[in-house]
Amino acid sequence: MFNLMSKKAKTHIPRGVVVRLTRYYAILQELRSRRAQWVSSSDIAEWLGLTSSTVRQDLSHIDFRGISRKGYNVEGLAATLAKTLGADTTWSMVVVGAGNLGHALALHEEFPRKGFHIKGVFDSDPAKIGRRIGSLRVMDVLTLPRFIYEKKIDIGLIAVPSQAAQQVADLLVAGRIRGILNLTQTHIVTPKTVPVAATRIVSSLQELAHLIKRQS
Amino acid sequence: MFNLMSKKAKTHIPRGVVVRLTRYYAILQELRSRRAQWVSSSDIAEWLGLTSSTVRQDLSHIDFRGISRKGYNVEGLAATLAKTLGADTTWSMVVVGAGNLGHALALHEEFPRKGFHIKGVFDSDPAKIGRRIGSLRVMDVLTLPRFIYEKKIDIGLIAVPSQAAQQVADLLVAGRIRGILNLTQTHIVTPKTVPVAATRIVSSLQELAHLIKRQS
């Protein structure tokens, strides 16, 4: 019984910890490119403005044993984090919204390098449908559910105006999308089986505005 | 002495709390546009997937008294959050990097609506310098420090390739920028007086990939 519970705890990492694991993974990749062999929790903590006990506690959630007096083994920790964060596989995506942001996302070179491949771009505006973006053509949003279902798309990026976000989320869910990245300022609702992550640039700017006000 | 300490605690809200306050503020704006008068901590908690005790604890960091049996007063709480997050003033910004992402950011209509005004776009690529983006012309990144200093720019957005991020951060700091939003995957270092916030779309995708893997 105790073993079962501990296994469950290992697979259900709290959301805040997962977010920090993505930052550790970015640091580990940088260290790996510099051919570093070992890294300590206090080094990671200092680079990211955290305490080393937070780093150690967070890393205790993943199944990793390569710890020595010199710290964590860089190669091993990077590989374990990659597995935890799905960075060891490839993911197919669609972008919904072919405005400025959607356009930029569809052409963003970092995505394919990190295993995230954009297979389609959608919009509801007749003036945008049919236009070329890189090697893709903008498709009608009405064909979105069928496209997702037939191509087995994993992730949908929502880059439409806020007021259309929920409607797009519903279309993605209708096509049996596996997860959604919401880039609008609006909160969207999905079934429990479809996780949502959010990137809100305006929220980051407001966070920054608070920190600047605090300085002065 | 005790009073002084409690005052200090009020102005130094932990970073994680500030991030959640930006999400409460987005919800409050939505409620205000629907002319809602009151909102409970448990409603906010449910919309954002948090516990109501987290919401209550977070909101105890800001100086707000409009609480009744019906919950928080929407108008009052929105105004207090706006003040805390600097959303009651306007901020001037520059975008560094005129690639796809920088281009999209420079034209992003939500920024001016939220009080964030882009005053200049910079790049180091001679092919990009001089090009029009909306009403702006791309300027040479070498003129960045002087521009920031003379125009008293508040915030710099870094949207360049990862390997150039630190160099751009140094130029922003040289011009006495007040805060930086880092949109690259790299960690950047600044003096303690220049706060940095980060928006990493790839990190959000990795967070999502973990959640999807957990589902299956």
Side-chain angles (χ1 to χ4, degrees), chain B residues 38-39 59-60 64-73 77:
Chain B
W38 302 95
V39 64
L59 291 177
S60 74
F64 179 68
R65 303 269 141 83
I67 311 168
S68 82
R69 207 170 38 81
K70 291 177 257 176
Y72 299 92
N73 174 262
L77 183 57

Side-chain angles (χ1 to χ4, degrees), chain A residues 11 13 15 47 83-85 100 104 107 110 185 187 192 199 203-204 207 209-211 213-215, chain B residues 11 13 15 22 47 83-85 100 104 107 110 185 187 192 199 204 207 209-211 213-215:
Chain A
T11 55
I13 308 173
R15 195 73 179 252
W47 289 322
K83 204 176 159 195
T84 308
L85 299 171
N100 289 312
L107 296 173
E110 201 182 353
Q185 194 68 3
H187 182 68
K192 275 213 164 73
T199 302
S203 292
S204 300
E207 178 194 347
H210 170 79
L211 297 172
K213 283 183 84 171
R214 190 160 92 179
Q215 286 286 340
Chain B
T11 55
I13 307 174
R15 196 73 180 255
T22 67
W47 288 322
K83 204 176 157 194
T84 307
L85 300 171
N100 289 314
L107 296 174
E110 202 182 353
Q185 194 69 4
H187 181 66
K192 276 214 164 71
T199 302
S204 299
E207 177 194 347
H210 170 79
L211 297 172
K213 283 182 85 172
R214 190 158 92 179
Q215 286 288 340

Side-chain angles (χ1 to χ4, degrees), chain A residues 94-195:
Chain A
V94 290
V95 174
V96 190
N100 289 312
L101 184 61
H103 197 109
L105 293 171
L107 296 173
H108 197 39
E109 288 162 9
E110 201 182 353
F111 291 158
R113 268 195 276 124
K114 305 280 176 178
F116 297 95
H117 299 275
I118 295 178
K119 302 293 186 189
V121 184
F122 293 83
D123 206 293
S124 62
D125 179 358
K128 291 198 182 110
I129 295 165
R131 268 200 210 163
R132 274 206 109 75
I133 298 183
S135 63
L136 300 168
R137 267 191 203 284
V138 179
M139 289 177 275
D140 188 333
V141 78
L142 288 176
T143 64
L144 179 61
R146 183 166 179 164
F147 184 89
I148 293 168
Y149 186 74
E150 287 181 351
K151 307 273 180 190
K152 295 188 173 43
I153 301 296
D154 299 308
I155 295 172
L157 274 64
I158 303 184
V160 297
S162 292
Q163 63 273 19
Q166 182 61 52
Q167 212 172 321
V168 168
D170 295 343
L171 289 173
L172 290 167
V173 169
R176 306 214 189 151
I177 201 81
R178 298 177 72 195
I180 293 175
L181 180 63
N182 178 11
L183 291 138
T184 74
Q185 194 68 3
T186 307
H187 182 68
I188 57 168
V189 181
T190 61
K192 275 213 164 73
T193 49
V194 182

Side-chain angles (χ1 to χ4, degrees), chain B residues 93-150:
Chain B
M93 309 199 295
V94 290
V95 174
V96 191
N100 289 314
L101 185 60
H103 196 108
L105 293 171
L107 296 174
H108 197 39
E109 289 162 9
E110 202 182 353
F111 291 159
R113 269 195 277 122
K114 304 281 177 178
F116 297 96
H117 298 276
I118 294 177
K119 302 294 187 187
V121 184
F122 293 83
D123 206 293
S124 63
D125 179 357
K128 290 198 184 108
I129 295 166
R131 266 201 210 164
R132 275 207 108 74
I133 298 184
S135 61
L136 300 169
R137 266 190 202 286
V138 179
M139 289 176 276
D140 188 334
V141 78
L142 290 176
T143 65
L144 179 61
R146 183 167 181 163
F147 185 88
I148 293 167
Y149 187 72
E150 287 181 351

Side-chain angles (χ1 to χ4, degrees), chain B residues 165-181:
Chain B
Q166 183 61 51
Q167 211 172 322
V168 168
D170 295 343
L171 289 174
L172 290 167
V173 170
R176 307 217 188 149
I177 201 80
R178 298 177 70 194
I180 293 175
L181 180 64

